[in-house]
Amino acid sequence: MSRLLDRLQEEIDALDALSLRRRRQIAETACAPEQTLTLAGAAAPRTMLGFSSNDYLGLAAHPALAKAWAEGAALYGTGSGGSHLILGHSRAHAQLEERLADWMSPFIPQARSLFFCTGYMANLAVLSALGGADAVIFSESLNHASLIDGARLAKARVERYPHCDVAALDTQLASCDAPVKIIVSDAVFSMDGNIAPVAELLALAERHDAWLVIDDAHGFGVLGATGRGVPEALGLRSERLVLVGTLGKAAGVSGAFVAAHRTVVDYLVQRARPYIFTTAAPPAVAHALLASLALIEGEEGAERRARLLARIAQLRSGLKAVLPADGSAWLAESPTAIQPLIVGDNARAMRIMAQLDGHGLRVGAIRPPTVPAGTARLRIALSASHGEGDVARLVDALGEALFRPAKEAA
Ligand SMILES: *Cc1c(COP(=O)(O)O)cnc(C)c1O
């Protein structure tokens, strides 16, 4: 046994030596910009200003959602009691699916939706069910890990295409004679913040008779006039569109959904193993999500989206003014809440993160293999609940960390 343990320990030590070892912090309080955290190895908790949550609209600790959650638990209890096909499918789940189908019906003819426990599972379900042995999956090279794993689980052959390269994908599709072709892409890239050329991808899907699977984890709730995400922002419409949205990010709760033509959803219910062989999420989650959707599409949602846009603009103009002129750190071109500051090597990213720590600021340092080698970055994630003063503090501290690393590190 000790030899087996030694092997694991050696691998962990190797990660440590490369500044690649991941450590968790413990959140002592609810998700919010000011949050009390116990960092790895620290004796006492600290209250810090964070820029790393996916709570883009600041709904994760919204009292109306907590109230709806409690109400859902009172109505339906805490556990669903089974899988969706065996008594776990509650009225709350059904209402949520109807609501989401309505939401997505402008973009998908005869839309239905299917609720999942997590986005990870939704992606495994869609790709493994649609990607049978006679299919080819065309996978964007910066896709989220859950899409990569979904493609692995599928029996289909997988071809990657270069990041946002519509012409290359066109060529790949043209030389493929498989009866089923599936294009799959993140709508908003999770480590870069840029938006995929989804309208162009959809045109390719039409031309080459392919499905287009779009994962809008970071666009749902945030983009579009009523928060319906990238399909709304870009005005898409097609029965080829299979849309995955996650509900644990901007929606502030948990879970995910697939929206697609009714036949696709019917098929997933029959065939998608990650849907069938798991316990349905608690109905209270679905009940809380109904309240979240109401907030997102209403006036409060619109106000929150406007506040988020103002913080994004403030951060971008503020950081551009303090970035070093030698190009050793640069801000990715991103119109979304995800604003990556690319600094190159892992140790530099960790050092800047440590300096921000000293100022009570928390920003995630993202390193390979999550991003390509040599592009380690600080992934700044903004939220509607950040104030103007919060963003100003971050810009000041980053300006200092980028220009005076030696002094701080000493
Ligand atoms: C977060 C995320 C997921 C996974 O969603 P969960 O609900 O957290 O499992 C899938 N795709 C993308 C692009 C994501 O960012």
Side-chain angles (χ1 to χ4, degrees):
M1 186 62 197
S2 76
R3 190 181 55 85
L4 291 174
L5 288 175
D6 287 346
R7 285 170 65 107
L8 301 184
Q9 192 59 53
E10 277 165 27
E11 222 174 289
I12 294 168
D13 293 344
L15 289 172
D16 219 358
L18 294 168
S19 305
L20 288 177
R21 181 167 177 182
R22 282 132 210 273
R23 295 171 196 275
R24 295 174 302 168
Q25 61 198 17
I26 297 170
E28 308 287 354
T29 56
C31 181
E34 288 269 348
Q35 195 170 18
T36 302
L37 304 169
T38 302
L39 307 182
R46 287 169 67 193
T47 298
M48 302 189 79
L49 176 61
F51 295 88
S52 52
S53 91
N54 298 319
D55 182 24
Y56 303 126
L57 295 181
L59 296 181
H62 195 295
L65 301 193
K67 186 162 166 270
W69 181 300
E71 191 181 277
L75 279 169
Y76 299 98
T78 50
S80 67
S83 66
H84 281 279
L85 299 190
I86 307 187
L87 79 77
H89 190 61
S90 72
R91 175 55 63 193
H93 293 117
Q95 284 171 335
L96 178 65
E97 289 182 348
E98 274 170 38
R99 200 77 200 83
L100 286 165
D102 282 350
W103 263 39
M104 295 304 157
S105 58
F107 321 118
I108 302 169
Q110 300 188 56
R112 286 268 173 86
S113 89
L114 195 62
F115 177 64
F116 285 82
C117 297
T118 70
Y120 186 89
M121 291 165 74
N123 283 336
L124 293 191
V126 167
L127 293 181
S128 64
L130 294 182
D134 57 353
V136 176
I137 295 173
F138 296 87
S139 179
E140 151 75 53
S141 60
L142 292 193
N143 272 346
H144 187 262
S146 57
L147 292 172
I148 295 170
D149 291 358
R152 281 189 187 142
L153 191 60
K155 294 200 170 72
R157 191 163 62 78
V158 182
E159 277 190 37
R160 296 215 313 170
Y161 67 90
H163 182 52
C164 292
D165 193 337
V166 175
L169 176 60
D170 191 14
T171 307
Q172 283 170 263
L173 285 162
S175 64
C176 172
D177 56 11
V180 176
K181 300 172 197 171
I182 303 165
I183 304 168
V184 57
S185 177
D186 280 16
V188 175
F189 293 94
S190 41
M191 295 302 139
D192 294 76
N194 58 321
I195 300 176
V198 184
E200 290 81 355
L201 296 179
L202 189 54
L204 284 190
E206 302 284 357
R207 177 135 39 95
H208 295 282
D209 190 22
W211 294 113
L212 177 61
V213 176
I214 289 296
D215 175 352
D216 203 14
H218 302 282
F220 184 80
V222 174
L223 300 174
T226 60
R228 295 174 205 207
V230 160
E232 184 180 27
L234 301 182
L236 307 174
R237 183 170 174 84
S238 171
E239 61 185 28
R240 298 176 179 283
L241 194 57
V242 178
L243 188 75
V244 178
T246 67
L247 302 167
K249 290 174 178 156
V253 187
S254 184
F257 68 92
V258 175
H261 186 277
R262 57 190 298 165
T263 306
V264 176
V265 169
D266 283 349
Y267 185 79
L268 292 177
V269 172
Q270 307 311 313
R271 285 283 184 254
R273 296 166 67 87
Y275 183 75
I276 298 166
F277 296 106
T278 193
T279 300
V285 168
H287 195 77
L289 280 165
L290 284 162
S292 171
L293 295 185
L295 275 180
I296 289 172
E297 74 176 340
E299 218 169 280
E300 181 167 349
E303 280 164 16
R304 284 170 184 262
R305 283 185 288 281
R307 274 211 297 281
L308 175 60
L309 282 176
R311 293 294 90 81
I312 293 170
Q314 183 196 349
L315 178 86
R316 291 192 68 82
S317 64
L319 269 186
K320 279 179 181 167
V322 301
L323 285 179
D326 64 3
S328 64
W330 49 282
L331 193 57
E333 257 337 298
S334 162
T336 65
I338 301 165
Q339 293 290 328
L341 179 65
I342 298 167
V343 299
D345 71 79
N346 302 339
R348 186 181 188 207
M350 295 307 285
R351 192 181 61 226
I352 295 173
M353 188 171 90
Q355 281 182 245
L356 293 178
D357 252 22
H359 291 280
L361 300 170
R362 203 71 191 136
V363 179
I366 310 289
R367 294 153 285 160
T370 309
V371 294
T375 69
R377 64 198 65 189
L378 297 158
R379 181 183 181 276
I380 302 165
L382 294 173
S383 165
S385 52
H386 282 121
E388 205 174 327
D390 295 338
V391 172
R393 258 180 79 187
L394 177 64
V395 169
D396 285 351
L398 272 172
E400 184 181 316
L402 288 165
F403 281 102
R404 284 189 281 165
K407 180 190 153 219
E408 290 282 332

